Amino acid sequence: MRAPIAFWFDPVSPFGYIGSIAIERVAAKHGREVDWRPFLIGVTVLKVMGMKPLREYPLKGPWLERDMQRLAEYFDAPLRPHGLKGINSVAACRAFLWIKAREPALAKLFAQNIFAKLWTRGEDITPVAAVVAEAAALGVDGAALSEALAGDELKRALRRSVEEAMAQGVFGAPSFVADGELFWGNDHIWMLEHWLAHGDFKRR
Amino acid sequence: MRAPIAFWFDPVSPFGYIGSIAIERVAAKHGREVDWRPFLIGVTVLKVMGMKPLREYPLKGPWLERDMQRLAEYFDAPLRPHGLKGINSVAACRAFLWIKAREPALAKLFAQNIFAKLWTRGEDITPVAAVVAEAAALGVDGAALSEALAGDELKRALRRSVEEAMAQGVFGAPSFVADGELFWGNDHIWMLEHWLAHGDFKRR
């Protein structure tokens, strides 16, 4: 078993949601584990890169909407775009890190449930209370998580995670890192698979 | 034989160069012709979308450089990045349209030679003289082309071509349009191939 594939996600991204479903299947097929790692698009794309959300650009926006549908169909992701505004994933990402430090397998399940909450049921994942309830439903100690979410340690932990993402070159969601190679977007999963199978990019 | 695949290109794009090599192989494999159509990234990306060239963004820039290498390797494109500044393809695109209106098969060869000039030999394709010389080397009437390049008709023809690109939703290079479906980027060629083979996006 070689090193895990890092899966960099932000729950606010519908493409990240599609990727969260796709990567588990791809990794299993190639005998790899997936290491789920959160980051914030609001920091990488908006703040560091100085871009708008990509779907707000003329021409690119409509194309991305269509691409989202096609990719969801191909990767069997039951995506249902929501009409919510001002979603942010800060509490969800912090809670993920807290759970992961205690029970890694449960953390992945938590993240999958957060994705499903937003992207299949159209429910807001922003409020701390919603995040804690989602964790508690998995048997996590809600009171202890709430207390942690109010403290500074988790803030620092998420900041470190975002910095590590950028140190690996990650900017968008989903991103996959395998053996030092970075792949951005579900449209690159075929290249990731090629890399996992062959360790190079020569066409066979 | 079904309708041709529209291949929207701008000679200034290295990804467009890779795509120009990839698309001919893909189309042949699926029994399709390729209709080469020029547009200007300077209009779509810079002016209409208000973006910088994508490779100038932090984080995304280095990733795109690596991706360019990987894609060139996979699609067998002998790409050699040049250090030239201020390249523009306006004369080359106008000349392409003039040749295409007279000898469509020759126009494709001309565009392929323009791509190779810039992306394998690192020679500037901006000057009108360089463009005319490239056309003349294929047997095109250089004097007549020079005269046409000085007139307004070709300016209008290229403007129309760029407008048609945008009407089809095209913004970046390379873009491929098959049966109304738009695919942007060499990373989407696997989806184009899936579409050509099956007419849908269900995974098999």
Side-chain angles (χ1 to χ4, degrees):
Chain A
M1 176 80 77
R2 287 180 295 171
I5 300 165
F7 167 53
W8 289 97
F9 69 97
D10 183 337
V12 300
S13 165
F15 292 99
Y17 167 60
I18 297 168
S20 76
I21 290 178
I23 190 59
E24 289 292 336
R25 185 191 302 125
V26 166
K29 185 172 150 192
H30 293 273
R32 298 276 193 124
E33 297 288 334
V34 183
D35 182 22
W36 287 49
R37 308 204 58 183
F39 78 108
L40 300 170
I41 295 174
V43 174
T44 57
V45 175
L46 308 188
K47 209 166 136 190
V48 172
M49 295 167 69
M51 287 182 148
K52 295 187 287 190
L54 294 181
R55 285 185 294 154
E56 292 179 14
Y57 284 94
L59 296 170
K60 193 170 214 161
W63 182 77
L64 283 174
E65 292 294 333
R66 174 66 186 140
D67 209 38
M68 193 170 74
Q69 294 167 355
R70 298 186 298 203
L71 289 163
E73 183 178 351
Y74 185 84
F75 289 112
D76 293 324
L79 178 77
R80 260 200 6 206
H82 59 75
L84 302 169
K85 301 281 174 204
I87 302 290
N88 94 56
S89 58
V90 170
C93 288
R94 287 178 186 156
F96 172 86
L97 289 172
W98 190 84
I99 301 168
K100 189 181 181 188
R102 283 151 188 83
E103 303 189 60
L106 203 62
K108 182 185 290 192
L109 199 55
F110 167 76
Q112 286 168 330
N113 287 355
I114 289 285
F115 266 127
K117 184 178 176 67
L118 181 59
W119 291 111
T120 70
R121 300 198 304 278
E123 295 169 8
D124 197 355
I125 58 155
T126 308
V128 172
V131 167
V132 171
E134 207 60 52
L138 291 172
V140 170
D141 180 343
L145 174 57
S146 289
E147 202 186 312
L149 284 170
D152 280 343
E153 200 184 320
L154 272 184
K155 289 182 191 170
R156 283 193 297 271
L158 181 54
R159 207 173 302 136
R160 271 198 308 275
S161 191
V162 175
E163 278 160 13
E164 266 187 73
M166 290 193 283
Q168 292 189 20
V170 168
F171 53 95
S175 288
F176 314 100
V177 182
D179 321 316
E181 284 285 335
L182 169 62
F183 303 87
W184 170 50
N186 300 301
D187 45 4
H188 268 72
I189 286 177
W190 68 274
M191 280 178 83
L192 167 64
E193 289 215 61
H194 192 284
W195 174 256
L196 294 174
H198 304 294
D200 64 36
F201 296 102
K202 287 189 191 71
R203 195 175 65 253
R204 263 69 178 182
Chain B
M1 177 77 77
R2 287 179 296 172
I5 300 165
F7 167 53
W8 289 97
F9 70 98
D10 182 337
V12 300
S13 165
F15 291 98
Y17 167 60
I18 297 168
S20 75
I21 290 178
I23 190 58
E24 288 292 337
R25 186 190 302 126
V26 166
K29 185 172 149 192
H30 294 273
R32 299 275 194 125
E33 297 287 335
V34 183
D35 182 24
W36 287 49
R37 308 204 58 184
F39 78 107
L40 299 171
I41 295 175
V43 174
T44 57
V45 175
L46 308 187
K47 208 166 137 189
V48 173
M49 295 166 68
M51 285 181 149
K52 294 187 288 190
L54 294 181
R55 285 185 295 155
E56 292 179 13
Y57 284 95
L59 296 169
K60 193 169 215 162
W63 183 77
L64 284 173
E65 291 295 331
R66 174 64 186 140
D67 209 39
M68 193 170 74
Q69 293 167 355
R70 299 186 296 203
L71 289 164
E73 182 177 353
Y74 185 84
F75 289 112
D76 293 323
L79 177 76
R80 257 196 12 200
H82 59 75
L84 304 169
K85 301 280 174 206
I87 304 289
N88 93 57
S89 57
V90 170
C93 288
R94 287 178 186 156
F96 172 85
L97 288 173
W98 190 84
I99 300 168
K100 190 180 180 188
R102 284 151 188 82
E103 303 189 60
L106 203 61
K108 182 185 290 195
L109 199 56
F110 168 76
Q112 287 168 330
N113 288 356
I114 288 285
F115 266 127
K117 183 177 175 67
L118 181 58
W119 291 111
T120 71
R121 300 198 305 279
E123 294 169 9
D124 197 354
I125 57 155
T126 309
V128 171
V131 167
V132 171
E134 208 59 51
L138 291 173
V140 170
D141 179 342
L145 174 57
S146 291
E147 201 186 315
L149 284 170
D152 281 341
E153 200 184 322
L154 271 184
K155 289 181 190 170
R156 282 193 297 269
L158 180 54
R159 208 173 302 135
R160 269 198 308 276
S161 192
V162 175
E163 278 161 14
E164 266 188 73
M166 289 194 282
Q168 292 189 19
V170 168
F171 52 96
S175 288
F176 314 100
V177 182
D179 321 314
E181 284 285 334
L182 168 62
F183 304 86
W184 170 51
N186 300 301
D187 46 3
H188 267 72
I189 286 178
W190 67 276
M191 278 178 84
L192 167 64
E193 289 214 61
H194 192 285
W195 174 255
L196 294 174
H198 304 294
D200 63 39
F201 296 102
K202 287 190 191 71
R203 196 174 65 252
R204 261 71 177 180

